[in-house]
Amino acid sequence: MAGHAGTFHQRLAEALNSSTLSLALDRALPTFRQRRALAFQGEDFPALQADLAARRAQHVAQIPDLLERFQQAAERAGAVVHRARDAAEACALVGDLVERYGVRLVVKSKSMVTEEVGLNAYLSARGVQVVETDLGEFIVQLAQEHPSHLLAPALHKTREEIARLFSALAGREIPPEIPQLVAFARDHLRRFFIEAGMGVSGANIAIAESGTLVILENEGNARLVTTLPPVHVALVGLEKLVPTIDDATAILKLLSRSATGQPISTYISFITGPSRSADIELSLTTGVHGPKAVHIIFVDNGRTAMRDDPEFRAALQCIRCGACANVCPAFQEVGGHIFGHIYTGPIGLVVTPFHHGLEHISDPQRLCLGCNTCDTVCPAGIPLASLILSLRERVVARKGLPLPKRLALDALAQPALFD
Ligand code: SF4
C-alpha cells in the first residue's frame, strides 16, 4: 500500500521534493489553524483545557469500571458488547460477525481504530468488499494509501490528483472542481449504503451510564452507515469511555472547535442499541428503519499498557481532534505519511509504540523540533512535547545514538583531542 513504501529517508526526500504535497498542505493546514483560532476567540482556552484535562485524567483512571458499566447499559438496550485484546482479535470478531450474518459488502464511516487494526485488509482477504464512504477515506482507499491526518485522511492530495482518481473510476473526465468531485462521490457511493449487509463505524465517545455511542461528522455518511444496513458494528478504543452525558458534552464543546473550528459538528449521533418501535400494540420490535443488531467491539491493543505507564497514560486523554498536527512545523513540511505511522502528527508519535511498536517511530520522532506548539493547542492538556522527548530517550536506549551523534559525543568525551 502506498504511503509507507521505501525507507524513511527515501520517503522523506520524496515528501520534501513533492510540489503537489506542499501545495496540498499549504491549501489545508493554514485554514485549519485560522478556523481554530477564530473558534476560540473570546474564550478562556487555558481554563477550558484545564477542565477537560482533569476530566479526561479521571476517565482514564476509571476505564475498567466504565467498561463494565457501559457493557451492562448497552446490553440492557439490546446491543452486544465484545472485547478485543489486540488487532488480531478485533479483526477476528468482525470476521465472525460477517460470517454469522452472511455479509459480502461492508460500508464504513471514518474510523482510525479500524485503520489501526488493519480491518480492511483482513476483510478483503476473506472476499468481503469494503467501501469507505467518508469522502477523504474514499479518496485514500481509491489511491490505495493510508490516511495522512486524523481528521482529514486525504489532506495530502490536491483536487487535481483527486480528479484523476475519480476520472479513472468513472471512465470519463471529472473536472478538478470541488463541487463536481463531491457530486461524483455522492452519486457513486449512494447504492452501497442500501446494498451493504453491515455498516462499520468508530465512535468519538462511549457514555457508560447509558451504553451510548456518540459519533460526530459533517458529511452525513456515518448516519447512513449506522442506520441503513441491517447490522451495525462499532470498533471503539477503550479511551473513548466517559462516565456521563455531562462528560460527553465537555468533549463536544472542545472537539469540533479544535478540529475544524466549528462550534459544533453538522451531525452528532447518539446511538443506544438497535433501532426499535412499539408503535403497534406497544409490542417492542427491533430493526425498524435502522439496524436490527448492534455490536460494539472495545479494542485494547496496547491501551492498557499505555494506562499502566505512569508517564504515557496521559496520551489516553486524547480526543482525536488533530489540532496538534495542524500546528506542527514538521507536519506542515512533510505531511502525515512521513510524520507518523497509522496515527500521524505529534499524538501519532506518542501512541504508535503502544499500538504498533517503538520501531515504527524511531525515525519519524527525529522530525520533532521540540518547539512545544502542539502542547499549546491540545484541548486535553497532553504534554506532547515532553512525551516525544521521552520516546526519543527510549529509542536511543533501544537502538543507540545515530552514528554522527555518537562520534561527536565520543570526541567530546576525549578532551585531549581539543588540546
Ligand atoms: S493530542 Fe491533543 S491536540 Fe492532538 S489530537 Fe489528541 S486531543 Fe487533539
Side-chain angles (χ1 to χ4, degrees), residues 64-78:
D65 176 51
L66 294 176
L67 180 56
E68 292 298 328
R69 285 165 54 198
F70 183 97
Q71 179 156 6
Q72 285 167 17
E75 294 192 341
R76 271 198 304 275

Side-chain angles (χ1 to χ4, degrees), residues 52 150 255 258-259 315 317-325 344-348 374-375 377-382 384:
L52 188 62
L150 285 177
L255 180 48
S258 300
Q317 293 171 205
C318 178
I319 59 170
R320 300 284 188 263
C321 69
C324 51
T344 62
I347 188 63
C374 47
D375 287 9
V377 297
C378 176
I382 302 170
L384 290 156

Side-chain angles (χ1 to χ4, degrees), residues 116-140:
E116 173 192 322
V117 302
L119 184 64
N120 288 14
Y122 176 91
L123 290 177
S124 299
R126 277 151 189 78
V128 178
Q129 185 184 3
V130 181
V131 177
E132 295 285 356
T133 64
D134 170 84
L135 183 58
E137 289 280 359
F138 174 56
I139 293 163
V140 165

Side-chain angles (χ1 to χ4, degrees), residues 145-360:
E145 294 176 354
H146 288 292
S148 67
H149 187 277
L150 285 177
L151 205 73
L155 184 93
H156 57 289
K157 290 241 174 284
T158 60
R159 67 181 80 112
E160 293 80 6
E161 290 174 301
I162 295 164
R164 283 196 288 279
L165 283 171
F166 284 9
S167 299
L169 180 66
R172 63 187 161 87
E173 196 180 333
I174 312 282
E177 303 300 334
I178 293 166
Q180 275 97 322
L181 295 172
V182 172
F184 169 74
R186 178 188 163 97
D187 286 349
H188 176 81
L189 290 170
R190 204 118 285 240
R191 72 180 171 90
F192 292 108
F193 293 113
I194 305 284
E195 292 171 8
M198 178 182 285
V200 172
S201 76
N204 297 91
I205 305 168
I207 305 174
E209 67 176 350
S210 53
T212 302
L213 299 176
V214 185
I215 302 177
L216 280 73
E217 55 154 343
N218 287 314
E219 294 178 14
N221 67 303
R223 289 225 157 156
L224 300 175
V225 161
T226 57
T227 52
L228 285 179
V231 181
H232 171 205
V233 177
L235 278 81
V236 186
L238 288 172
E239 78 282 9
K240 299 296 169 73
L241 284 157
V242 304
T244 66
I245 195 162
D246 182 56
D247 294 292
T249 309
I251 293 175
L252 293 178
K253 267 189 202 157
L254 291 193
L255 180 48
S256 307
R257 281 190 165 87
S258 300
T260 52
Q262 294 165 282
I264 199 140
S265 300
T266 306
Y267 301 101
I268 301 179
S269 301
F270 288 75
I271 299 171
T272 312
S275 141
R276 73 201 58 213
S277 173
D279 274 359
I280 301 176
E281 296 184 354
L282 284 186
S283 172
L284 188 66
T285 311
T286 56
V288 188
H289 299 293
K292 196 174 176 64
V294 172
H295 292 266
I296 303 163
I297 301 173
F298 279 98
V299 179
D300 186 323
N301 201 33
R303 287 166 175 81
T304 297
M306 212 184 305
R307 187 170 168 271
D308 289 344
D309 186 316
E311 197 178 6
F312 280 82
R313 69 180 349 207
L316 290 167
Q317 293 171 205
C318 178
I319 59 170
R320 300 284 188 263
C321 69
C324 51
N326 298 343
V327 297
C328 173
F331 192 96
Q332 172 74 62
E333 291 306 313
V334 299
H337 285 155
I338 309 298
F339 197 68
H341 182 54
I342 301 295
Y343 291 101
T344 62
I347 188 63
L349 293 184
V350 171
V351 300
T352 292
F354 294 90
H355 301 318
H356 303 288
L358 190 65
E359 66 278 13
H360 291 291

Side-chain angles (χ1 to χ4, degrees), residues 386-404:
S386 70
L387 292 179
I388 294 170
L389 205 57
S390 274
L391 280 177
R392 190 164 285 168
E393 286 166 11
R394 292 182 188 197
V395 169
V396 169
R398 169 90 59 93
K399 283 182 57 177
L401 281 172
L403 187 62

